[in-house]
Amino acid sequence: MKKIIPFAAICLAAASMLACTKQPVAVPEQTDAPVQTQAQALLEITEGVHKSEPGYEAIFNTHAIETEDLTVHMMNKVYDEAKLRTMFETVRDALDRAEAYTSKSPMPVTVYAVRRYGQDRPVSVGGSVFCTPEDIENGSFRGALLGAAYGLSVDWQRKGLSDVVFSGEPDESGLKEFFDDPANELAASLSPLFMDAVLAGEETVVNVKKAAASLAAYAVASKGFDEFCASPDTAALLPDWMEHLGVSNAIELPECPADVADITVTHKEYGPVLTFGNFTVNVPADSFVKTADELYRLACGISRSADMLMERFSEETPSLLPIIGERLENGVTVTLANFQTTASCAVPEKGAIVLSLAYNFPHELVHVLLNEAAPIVREKRWITEALAEHFSLETAGKVFPQYDLQGGLESYREFFRELSETEETEDDLVFHRTVWSIYEHLRSEDVVKECRDDVDAYEYAYGIAKLLLPDLDRKQIRFKYDRSVAWGYHMLEGPKDERGNNLSYPEARAVFEYLSGRFGVEKLTRDQIESVAASESIGMSWHDIYAEAREYYKELYGKLAGTADNN
């Protein structure tokens, strides 16, 4: 008779045998990825979530490994436990290597490994990094990681330090020859525009990436890591660094606000898209600027214009600054166009600008900042344009200079002949002399505060001369300076004393300056924002406004215009 052995006893015996049997240990293949350690295996994986935040608004669930100074999240849609543990060790190793190079402990960092994100490369937002699992695997996440860990605010710092930490001493071959060429001067900004092959070309990209590593290594070694972190603008580091490279070309970069240094470039079907500060700039194929150099200068100009305009608003309309500032912070989209086919214009209700000439940008931005609250009333277009001219001309003249008025009247007459492509008549000469006399008076020391720069004074003088000399039969004209506001908005022109929209831009500006002297810039600007016609606000008909403005300027400048004793 067979003896029946209980099942439990069999299991117990098997367990004892396994415990006593020596098992072969598998040796893992050598790879670049960190080998999973016992400590790693013990790290707890928890469920988490990414909530919407500025810079990355997507909401998604995650699995995460969290320690005191490092948290790595993996989006549930791509979650794999082994991959998460390996990614954590890869990120930890990268931070350890960075600390060894910088002798500086990194700040706490949170890394999100997601399926995809809106930009072409890993990004850091504050102390967070957003990338794909593939970015961590191939190492392309490192620049964003160092940006988050050390508060590096611009791309060249992140890219340069990453290359030095993980690739060793920088390759400086060819940099002297590259920067000795004046054609490459703006590339010394190390802007992301010059790291984009579509905009700058492969040769420039190679040299600018080498330059970022070279400058990072030089700055850390000669200035210290803290000063390197505090120097996002390459201009402050350029002289010493160029001497280090042996570059003989004296490089000078245009004045450029900090937000442009961290410009991002993405590519859409219609062309590149630039994002910086409060601006998004679309660059279609027919844009009036296309190269990295041109776009860098334009981006600097756009950002500087916004800063200067906000300063002007704070001086003249302080009570309106919160409204205007909020509109700027809501973002402005600029679509570049071709001036031969498209005129610059603003679409205030959409926070949008179509730009075909850089010089027009400050004017169009004023429209967006002042007119978004309500649709523009047809009968007050003249003051809409006058306000834009009043606030923008100083900025336009300084940021996007078009011409030099320092050559005197004869130089100015030649400029006008070339501009209009028309020979001068006697009436043209009378007009030019009047404009120039008023311009020189406006720029004299006793009235210089009325106009902030040459271009500002010139347009004001032009408008005054047109008000005082309406009957001249001139042949030499300027498109914007002599066409009426009504023409610009595809409305019929008519007598100027019947409707403000029949004024040209300089005339409208001159009438506005007269009214602002009586009623204040802030009041007239508030009326504009609240869509109140000037005639209603100040209790005067347009006919009376026009007549009083002409009399005011006749008293001031009638002798210069030869109109002191007649109407």
Side-chain angles (χ1 to χ4, degrees):
M1 184 176 178
K2 293 184 179 180
K3 186 177 180 180
I4 299 176
I5 301 175
F7 179 73
I10 296 175
C11 292
L12 180 61
S16 300
M17 291 175 64
L18 288 173
C20 297
T21 302
K22 186 175 182 180
Q23 299 294 320
V25 177
V27 179
E29 295 182 10
Q30 294 296 317
T31 66
D32 292 335
V35 178
Q36 189 180 52
T37 65
Q38 183 178 5
Q40 175 197 25
L42 296 177
L43 288 173
E44 181 183 5
I45 295 178
T46 60
E47 293 187 358
V49 63
H50 176 264
K51 299 179 180 179
S52 179
E53 62 180 316
Y56 202 90
E57 297 180 355
I59 300 174
F60 52 86
N61 294 320
T62 71
H63 281 73
I65 295 176
E66 181 176 0
T67 60
E68 184 176 347
D69 60 347
L70 173 63
T71 302
V72 177
H73 289 265
M74 194 172 192
M75 179 187 277
N76 280 356
K77 291 183 178 180
V78 294
Y79 173 65
D80 177 274
E81 180 181 347
K83 285 186 177 180
L84 174 58
R85 294 188 181 281
T86 299
M87 286 193 303
F88 183 89
E89 286 299 307
T90 301
V91 176
R92 166 61 66 198
D93 177 69
L95 290 173
D96 290 345
R97 292 173 67 178
E99 183 174 1
Y101 177 81
T102 63
S103 300
K104 193 86 170 180
S105 297
M107 295 182 288
V109 175
T110 300
V111 177
Y112 290 93
V114 299
R115 183 169 57 177
R116 60 177 179 271
Y117 45 92
Q119 299 189 25
D120 296 338
R121 56 197 170 97
V123 295
S124 57
V125 181
S128 298
V129 175
F130 298 91
C131 59
T132 66
E134 292 72 26
D135 293 327
I136 296 178
E137 184 178 345
N138 63 33
S140 60
F141 78 104
R142 291 166 173 168
L145 178 70
L146 298 187
Y150 293 109
L152 304 179
S153 60
V154 296
D155 201 52
W156 78 262
Q157 289 179 310
R158 298 187 288 260
K159 172 65 178 170
L161 182 62
S162 174
D163 285 352
V164 175
V165 169
F166 301 107
S167 300
E169 288 298 313
D171 175 12
E172 296 180 341
S173 61
L175 289 181
K176 178 185 183 307
E177 293 75 16
F178 180 77
F179 287 114
D180 266 333
D181 185 348
N184 298 321
E185 187 168 286
L186 292 183
S189 66
L190 306 187
S191 163
L193 292 168
F194 298 98
M195 298 187 195
D196 186 284
V198 174
L199 299 175
E202 291 289 352
E203 180 183 357
T204 296
V205 170
V206 169
N207 281 288
V208 169
K209 287 183 176 180
K210 290 196 315 187
S214 169
L215 181 54
Y218 175 77
V220 172
S222 63
K223 311 291 184 182
F225 185 67
D226 288 342
E227 187 167 342
F228 160 75
C229 293
S231 304
D233 185 359
T234 62
L237 301 169
L238 274 182
D240 291 343
W241 177 51
M242 287 296 160
E243 183 178 350
H244 161 74
L245 293 176
V247 174
S248 58
N249 181 31
I251 294 178
E252 292 187 11
L253 297 176
E255 182 180 346
C256 200
D259 54 9
V260 177
D262 199 31
I263 194 169
T264 61
V265 184
T266 55
H267 291 274
K268 306 293 185 182
E269 291 183 3
Y270 56 82
V273 179
L274 316 183
T275 306
F276 55 96
N278 296 308
F279 297 96
T280 299
V281 180
N282 298 313
V283 189
D286 64 345
S287 167
F288 71 97
V289 293
K290 297 177 182 178
T291 68
D293 276 33
E294 294 170 334
L295 289 169
Y296 178 74
R297 289 189 184 279
L298 179 63
C300 291
I302 285 174
S303 190
R304 281 188 63 206
S305 295
D307 289 347
M308 291 178 67
L309 287 175
M310 292 307 293
E311 289 180 10
R312 184 76 178 267
F313 286 129
S314 68
E315 292 176 17
E316 298 194 70
T317 61
S319 70
L320 300 175
L321 199 60
I323 299 173
I324 297 169
E326 182 179 358
R327 291 177 184 171
L328 181 60
E329 290 177 3
N330 286 340
V332 178
T333 299
V334 182
T335 299
L336 305 184
N338 190 316
F339 67 89
Q340 295 180 331
T341 58
T342 307
S344 297
C345 65
V347 188
E349 63 273 16
K350 294 184 178 180
I353 293 171
V354 176
L355 189 67
S356 55
L357 285 173
Y359 180 82
N360 295 336
F361 175 76
H363 177 103
E364 304 304 341
L365 183 58
V366 173
H367 281 316
V368 169
L369 299 180
L370 295 187
N371 298 340
E372 191 176 13
I376 301 174
V377 178
R378 281 175 65 88
E379 291 306 313
K380 67 171 199 151
R381 291 186 188 275
W382 75 270
I383 199 168
T384 298
E385 298 301 343
L387 272 165
E389 293 291 272
H390 169 83
F391 283 110
S392 71
L393 278 174
E394 176 194 12
T395 297
K398 291 180 177 179
V399 179
F400 302 107
Q402 285 188 305
Y403 45 83
D404 185 1
L405 291 162
Q406 298 300 311
L409 175 59
E410 296 309 311
S411 175
Y412 170 68
R413 289 170 63 191
E414 179 60 24
F415 157 77
F416 217 100
R417 186 190 68 77
E418 294 178 358
L419 180 73
S420 64
E421 298 181 343
T422 304
E423 293 301 321
E424 185 179 79
T425 67
E426 185 60 32
D427 278 1
D428 288 320
L429 180 57
V430 169
F431 183 76
H432 294 331
R433 285 175 173 169
T434 301
V435 170
W436 198 258
S437 296
I438 297 173
Y439 161 75
E440 287 187 321
H441 176 73
L442 290 172
R443 296 305 284 157
S444 62
E445 292 184 5
D446 56 334
V447 295
V448 72
K449 291 182 180 179
E450 290 186 28
C451 294
R452 300 179 177 230
D453 76 339
D454 286 344
V455 175
D456 193 17
Y458 166 62
E459 194 209 49
Y460 191 14
Y462 203 100
I464 294 170
K466 283 180 67 66
L467 289 176
L468 297 180
L469 301 169
D471 299 323
L472 289 178
D473 183 22
R474 295 169 51 216
K475 304 302 180 185
Q476 293 182 334
I477 63 171
R478 296 189 65 177
F479 179 79
K480 178 181 175 183
Y481 280 46
D482 291 298
R483 293 288 190 181
S484 76
V485 172
W487 186 93
Y489 286 103
H490 309 290
M491 297 185 293
L492 295 176
E493 299 184 50
K496 295 176 182 180
D497 60 350
E498 292 183 2
R499 190 171 63 169
N501 290 345
N502 294 326
L503 300 180
S504 66
Y505 285 77
E507 287 173 301
R509 188 275 178 89
V511 172
F512 172 81
E513 300 299 349
Y514 162 70
L515 290 177
S516 68
R518 288 190 59 187
F519 302 101
V521 172
E522 191 159 25
K523 171 180 171 50
L524 296 174
T525 306
R526 181 177 292 280
D527 290 342
Q528 167 70 5
I529 288 179
E530 297 177 353
S531 202
V532 177
S535 57
E536 297 175 14
S537 172
I538 64 180
M540 294 173 62
S541 68
W542 167 251
H543 183 276
D544 291 341
I545 292 174
Y546 180 72
E548 285 193 14
R550 288 196 70 215
E551 286 301 316
Y552 170 77
Y553 288 117
K554 185 184 295 185
E555 183 177 343
L556 287 176
Y557 302 110
K559 291 182 179 179
L560 296 178
T563 61
D565 299 320
N566 57 71
N567 295 322

